[in-house]
Amino acid sequence: IITTRPDHAHAHNALGYSLAERNLRLPEARRLIQRALELSPKDPFITDSLAWVEYRAGNAARALELLASAFAVRKDADIAAHYGGVLGSAGERARARAIWREGLRSNADNEALRETLRGELERDERVLLLGEDLGVYGGAFGVSRGLLEQFGASRVRETPISENGFTGLAVGAAVGGFRPVVELMFSDFV
């Protein structure tokens, strides 16, 4: 896309973010995302991507500046996930939790995540969902709403309140060839 449409900001951003997410070729990732920002300077998602490059490159302070800027423009759950993660790694756990909660409120249903899970469940019968209240309540954050009805209790598994237990179950299932996805209400319990 970049070759045929060099002014396509989201193509530059997508490639740059993909490299950063894999911690590969960070200088190239930075150049691609900076180009995306030149083409779309006020896009908070592109700013978030640049922050992720900076974080991966070890520039946590710059990453936090960029994430704060992106989150101020758009209180999005994905931006909040990065922002909270960088804050948490900097030891600011209470502030990280506050950012995550604010991001979740902005997109409590997280339809993109639910549709991604649905697609993986349809594509691969080895995919399992494990967690508390996944069926009746659709999970703590509504992400699994409707998936129990569509895929059944053998693939969308309600677990007891034992995060360490069902996380261990997921590791064992992965060793056995399954592709488990674990929903944790709060990581503090692990």
Side-chain angles (χ1 to χ4, degrees):
I1 294 174
I2 292 172
T3 303
T4 59
R5 292 185 53 202
D7 61 342
H8 195 289
H10 293 289
H12 288 273
N13 184 55
L15 179 55
Y17 181 81
S18 293
L19 292 171
E21 181 62 20
R22 290 166 182 77
N23 214 15
L24 299 171
R25 302 182 346 228
L26 295 178
E28 180 182 357
R30 183 180 287 114
R31 279 192 305 278
L32 286 161
I33 295 169
Q34 286 172 333
R35 177 63 181 141
L37 269 175
E38 289 170 9
L39 295 167
S40 186
K42 296 182 184 202
D43 189 315
F45 296 107
I46 298 173
T47 302
D48 170 75
S49 296
L50 183 58
W52 201 238
V53 170
E54 295 299 339
Y55 177 68
R56 292 290 198 169
N59 305 322
R62 178 66 180 141
L64 285 171
E65 289 173 20
L66 290 165
L67 288 163
S69 168
F71 197 65
V73 172
R74 179 83 181 252
K75 304 263 189 273
D76 177 79
D78 292 326
I79 295 171
H82 284 152
Y83 193 11
V86 175
L87 284 168
S89 73
E92 296 187 49
R93 288 176 178 75
R95 195 165 155 220
R97 281 191 293 274
I99 293 294
W100 286 328
R101 284 187 198 104
E102 192 171 348
L104 282 172
R105 278 194 301 273
S106 73
N107 187 5
D109 284 342
N110 205 335
E111 190 174 325
L113 182 54
R114 182 173 39 258
E115 290 310 310
T116 300
L117 287 171
R118 184 183 316 281
E120 287 302 303
L121 285 159
E122 288 171 348
R123 187 183 68 76
D124 188 342
E125 289 189 4
R126 297 172 300 157
V127 174
L128 309 171
L129 300 184
L130 304 169
E132 301 157 1
D133 298 328
L134 292 183
V136 176
Y137 297 106
F141 306 108
V143 172
S144 62
R145 192 173 297 124
L147 298 179
L148 174 65
E149 294 80 10
Q150 184 175 355
F151 297 100
S154 65
R155 308 248 337 261
V156 179
R157 295 283 189 145
E158 296 275 351
T159 63
I161 302 173
S162 177
E163 283 78 0
N164 288 330
F166 64 81
T167 301
L169 171 69
V171 171
V175 169
F178 288 94
R179 299 184 63 220
V181 177
V182 174
E183 179 179 316
L184 297 172
M185 284 189 184
F186 301 100
S187 62
D188 301 14
F189 297 143
V190 176

